[in-house]
C-alpha cells in the first residue's frame, strides 16, 4: 500500500469526513495517487440520501474492478452512509470490495485496511453509534489551507419522513462549546480564515448537552475568536431563534448567508414531512431575517413530488419561492428511501407529474437568483479568493460574504494564485445568475 484515492459523494459532512480519511491515510504513510496512475487503495465515501447518488455508487464501485484485475493487491474500501446502511451486504453484492466501514468507524479504517491486506479477505466494521470521542480528534487533510469544516453536531433527531439521515448517522450529539472554540483557535494559528460549522440542524446544537439549544451562544463565542469569516449549515426553520438572527446581524465576521431549507410551501405536505412549521411561520421567519439583515443572501432545499403533492400544494411552494427571494436553491424530485415512513405513503407521484413541476420551480429559482445577483452591481464586495477561475487563469474566483461566486480581473503584476486564501475588495460590474463579475480594487 503506497498510494490512495478518496472518492466523495454527497453533503459537506461527507466532504469533511473525506478530509479525515485522507488525513488518516497520510498518517499511515500513504500518499495521494498522482493523476493518471492507479491507486493502491481506493476509498468510496458514499451517500444514500437520494436515489441518484446511491445508484451511481454501485456503478462506480463495479467499475474499479478493472484496477483489481490489473493489480490484485489493490484494496477497495466503501464507507459513509451506504457502508452504514448495507454493511456486509456490500461485500456479498460486490465481491471485489475489501473493506466496508460505517459512518461511526472512520477511525478504524487504517486497521481495517491492514487486516484486509493481511488476510486477503473482506473485513466489515459498522457500529450502531459512536459513543467514543468526536472523530474530529482524527488527523485531517484540509482541501484548502485557509478553510476548515468544523462539525458541531453529528446525527439527527428530526426524522423528516422522507429522510434516511437519522438512520445512517444516528442520534444527534453535540460537541462542547469549549471544544469547538478551542479547535477554532488552533485553526486560526494554522492559517485558517474561514470556518463552516456543520450539523444536520445546527439550531438545535447543545440540546443533548445543556438541555436547551445554545447555537446563538456558540456563534457569539466563535465570532469572539476573531476568525475572519464564519459560515454554518444546515438551519432547520423550526429551531432558528431570534437570538441567532441577532448574533448574525451583530457580528461582521458571521457571513450574511443562510441556508434555510423549506422543502415545501404546503402546510399539508409539511405536516406529512414532519417538518413542524407552516408556510406562514416560515415566511414570517424570512421576514424577520430580512428586517434584521436587508443584504442577507438566502438559499433553500426544495423537494418536488412528495407523496400526495397536488397541483395546489405545488403552487404553495411556488408562492414561497416568489416571496422568499432566494439567491440559490437545491431542488430535488422526491425519491423513496427504503425504511422511511414516506416510502410507504399512499399516492406516490409519478415522474411525469413531478418533472414539469420541477422544471417550473427551477425556472423560478433562476429568475430569483438573477434578480438577487443584479442588486450587487455597483457595490464593493469583500471576496475570499479561492484561486484562478476555471475558464481564465488570469481571472480570480472567490466568494462574497453572501456566498456568491465572483470572477474578477486582477491588477497588473498580481496573480490569482498569489491571492488565494486572502480577502480582497472587488467592485462588481456585472451579474449573471450564478456568479458576479468585477475588478479588484487596488
Ligand atoms: N439536514 C439537512 C440536509 C439533509 S439532506 C436539512 O434538514 O435540510 C439534504 C436535502 O436532501 C434535504 O434538505 C432534502 O431537500 C433532500 N432530500 C432528503 N431526502 C430526500 C428524498 N428522499 N428525496 C428527495 N430529496 C431528499
Ligand atoms: Fe433529514 Fe430532516 Fe434531519 Fe435534515 S432535519 S437530516 S432533512 S431528518
Amino acid at each position: 500500500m503506497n498510494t490512495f484515492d478518496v472518492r466523495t459523494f454527497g453533503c459537506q459532512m461527507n466532504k469533511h469526513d473525506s478530509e479525515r480519511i485522507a488525513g488518516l491515510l497520510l498518517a499511515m504513510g500513504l500518499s495521494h495517487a498522482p493523476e493518471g496512475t492507479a491507486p493502491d487503495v481506493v476509498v468510496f465515501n458514499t451517500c444514500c440520501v437520494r436515489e441518484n447518488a446511491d445508484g451511481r455508487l454501485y456503478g462506480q464501485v463495479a467499475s474499479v474492478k478493472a484496477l483489481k484485475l490489473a493489480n490484485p493487491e489493490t484494496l477497495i474500501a466503501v464507507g459513509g452512509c451506504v457502508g452504514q446502511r448495507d454493511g456486509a451486504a456490500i461485500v456479498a453484492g460486490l465481491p471485489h470490495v475489501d473493506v466496508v466501514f460505517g459512518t461511526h468507524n472512520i477511525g478504524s479504517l487504517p486497521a481495517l485496511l491492514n487486516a484486509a491486506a493481511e488476510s486477503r479477505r473482506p473485513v466489515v466494521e459498522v457500529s450502531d453509534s459512536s459513543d467514543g470521542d468526536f472523530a474530529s480528534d482524527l488527523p485531517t487533510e484540509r482541501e484548502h489551507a485557509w478553510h476548515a469544516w468544523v462539525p458541531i453536531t453529528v446525527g439527527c433527531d428530526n426524522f423528516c419522513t422522507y429522510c434516511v439521515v437519522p438512520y445512517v448517522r444516528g442520534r444527534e450529539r453535540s460537541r462542547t462549546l469549549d471544544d469547538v472554540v478551542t479547535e477554532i483557535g488552533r485553526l486560526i494559528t494554522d492559517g485558517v480564515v474561514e470556518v463552516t460549522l456543520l450539523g444536520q440542524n445546527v439550531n438545535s446544537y447543545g440540546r443533548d448537552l445543556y438541555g436547551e439549544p445554545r447555537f446563538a451562544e456558540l456563534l457569539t463565542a466563535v465570532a469572539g475568536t476573531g476568525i475572519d469569516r464564519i459560515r454554518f449549515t444546515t438551519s432547520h426553520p423550526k429551531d432558528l431563534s431570534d437570538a441567532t438572527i441577532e448574533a448574525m446581524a451583530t457580528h461582521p465576521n458571521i457571513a450574511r448567508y443562510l441556508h434555510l431549507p423549506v422543502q415545501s410551501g404546503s402546510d399539508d405536505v409539511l405536516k406529512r414531512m414532519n417538518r413542524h412549521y407552516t408556510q406562514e411561520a416560515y415566511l414570517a421567519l424570512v421576514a424577520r431575517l430580512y428586517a434584521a439583515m436587508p443584504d442577507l443572501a438566502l438559499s433553500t432545499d426544495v423537494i418536488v413530488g412528495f407523496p400526495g403533492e397536488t397541483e395546489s400544494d405545488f403552487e404553495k411552494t411556488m408562492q414561497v419561492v416568489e416571496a422568499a427571494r432566494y439567491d440559490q436553491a437545491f431542488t430535488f424530485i422526491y425519491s423513496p428511501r427504503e425504511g422511511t415512513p414516506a416510502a410507504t405513503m399512499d399516492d406516490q407521484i409519478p415522474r411525469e407529474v413531478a418533472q414539469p413541476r420541477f422544471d417550473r420551480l427551477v425556472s423560478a429559482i433562476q429568475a430569483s437568483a438573477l434578480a438577487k445577483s443584479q442588486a450587487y452591481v455597483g457595490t464593493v464586495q469583500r471576496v475570499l479568493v479561492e484561486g484562478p477561475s476555471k475558464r481564465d487563469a488570469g481571472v480570480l474566483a472567490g466568494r462574497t460574504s453572501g456566498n456568491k461566486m465572483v470572477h474578477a480581473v486582477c491588477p497588473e503584476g498580481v496573480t490569482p494564485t498569489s491571492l488565494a486564501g486572502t480577502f480582497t475588495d472587488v467592485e462588481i460590474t456585472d451579474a449573471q445568475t450564478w456568479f458576479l463579475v468585477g475588478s479588484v480594487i487596488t
Side-chain angles (χ1 to χ4, degrees):
M1 278 190 266
N2 291 311
T3 62
F4 71 90
D5 188 26
V6 183
R7 305 191 186 169
T8 312
F9 300 76
C11 66
Q12 282 109 331
M13 195 62 94
N14 260 14
K15 283 189 190 156
H16 177 56
D17 285 346
S18 287
E19 292 185 336
R20 287 184 181 144
I21 291 169
L24 281 165
L25 298 180
L26 290 169
M28 278 174 85
L30 277 70
S31 54
H32 286 281
E35 190 107 7
T37 67
D40 300 324
V41 176
V42 183
V43 183
F44 289 91
N45 188 12
T46 64
C47 170
C48 61
V49 167
R50 288 175 299 273
E51 207 167 6
N52 52 3
D54 202 347
R56 264 205 338 262
L57 181 261
Y58 275 88
Q60 286 234 4
V61 177
S63 76
V64 293
K65 209 169 166 179
L67 287 178
K68 202 132 183 177
L69 291 175
N71 172 13
E73 306 274 289
T74 311
L75 291 175
I76 316 287
V78 177
C81 296
V82 179
Q84 184 72 30
R85 184 192 63 189
D86 296 351
I90 294 174
V91 187
L94 300 163
H96 61 294
V97 169
D98 301 281
V99 171
V100 176
F101 61 108
T103 53
H104 310 294
N105 305 88
I106 292 175
S108 306
L109 183 60
L112 297 171
L113 288 170
N114 283 328
E118 226 159 82
S119 68
R120 303 312 303 171
R121 299 177 56 164
V123 289
V124 177
E125 186 180 302
V126 177
S127 308
D128 282 346
S129 66
S130 58
D131 0 271
D133 290 338
F134 247 80
S136 56
D137 304 330
L138 300 176
T140 302
E141 186 204 31
R142 291 195 302 275
E143 187 188 349
H144 297 298
W146 65 87
H147 174 266
W149 308 104
V150 178
I152 61 168
T153 66
V154 291
C156 184
D157 288 347
N158 292 300
F159 290 94
C160 302
T161 52
Y162 49 82
C163 185
V164 79
V165 169
Y167 307 93
V168 289
R169 290 279 174 173
R171 293 292 65 70
E172 182 178 89
R173 285 201 309 126
S174 307
R175 287 169 79 183
T176 66
L177 210 144
D178 283 350
D179 196 17
V180 174
V181 170
T182 308
E183 180 178 353
I184 291 173
R186 266 203 309 270
L187 291 168
I188 295 173
T189 316
D190 210 23
V192 169
V193 297
E194 181 185 71
V195 289
T196 306
L197 310 178
L198 289 181
Q200 296 300 342
N201 174 7
V202 291
N203 303 100
S204 61
Y205 165 81
R207 193 175 276 157
D208 54 324
L209 290 180
Y210 309 114
E212 58 178 15
R214 291 219 178 145
F215 183 60
E217 225 173 298
L218 178 77
L219 256 190
T220 306
V222 173
T225 63
I227 185 120
D228 291 275
R229 190 177 271 175
I230 303 155
R231 301 188 181 284
F232 56 88
T233 199
T234 299
S235 289
H236 195 308
K238 79 181 164 67
D239 293 314
L240 180 70
S241 67
D242 286 341
T244 298
I245 299 176
E246 199 189 319
M248 287 181 75
T250 311
H251 298 284
N253 54 350
I254 302 178
R256 281 292 160 93
Y257 171 76
L258 186 69
H259 184 57
L260 193 66
V262 66
Q263 312 298 2
S264 168
S266 152
D267 292 352
D268 290 341
V269 173
L270 286 168
K271 198 164 182 121
R272 287 202 302 282
M273 288 178 163
N274 193 32
R275 290 289 288 181
H276 295 281
Y277 52 86
T278 59
Q279 187 206 64
E280 190 186 353
Y282 182 89
L283 288 178
L285 178 58
V286 167
R288 288 204 297 284
L289 283 158
Y290 281 132
M293 295 168 283
D295 59 345
L296 180 71
L298 192 66
S299 66
T300 198
D301 291 347
V302 185
I303 298 177
V304 171
F306 186 80
E309 184 189 72
T310 62
E311 211 51 43
S312 131
D313 289 323
F314 176 68
E315 289 306 330
K316 288 170 183 152
T317 300
M318 294 292 280
Q319 283 170 4
V320 173
V321 169
E322 181 82 12
R325 295 186 282 128
Y326 292 120
D327 292 77
Q328 200 184 356
F330 301 90
T331 47
F332 308 105
I333 291 183
Y334 168 73
S335 63
R337 306 281 68 205
E338 207 183 317
T340 61
T344 50
M345 282 180 186
D346 292 341
D347 201 7
Q348 301 280 327
I349 304 294
R351 185 83 190 196
E352 324 67 275
V353 175
Q355 189 68 49
R357 291 181 191 164
F358 181 81
D359 296 344
R360 272 183 67 199
L361 174 70
V362 169
S363 306
I365 296 285
Q366 281 170 352
S368 165
L370 182 59
K372 284 294 273 286
S373 286
Q374 279 165 343
Y376 287 95
V377 175
T379 68
V380 172
Q381 296 291 318
R382 191 163 177 255
V383 169
L384 175 53
V385 181
E386 294 180 359
S389 82
K390 285 203 183 90
R391 278 193 227 152
D392 184 344
V395 170
L396 70 77
R399 286 191 187 269
T400 66
S401 174
N403 206 33
K404 291 267 183 209
M405 176 57 81
V406 173
H407 292 168
V409 182
C410 287
E412 197 108 357
V414 181
T415 65
T417 309
S418 69
L419 291 177
T422 65
F423 288 90
T424 187
D425 284 338
V426 173
E427 183 174 353
I428 307 301
T429 51
D430 191 19
Q432 304 286 327
T433 308
W434 303 123
F435 65 94
L436 306 173
V437 179
S439 42
V440 172
I441 296 180
T442 42

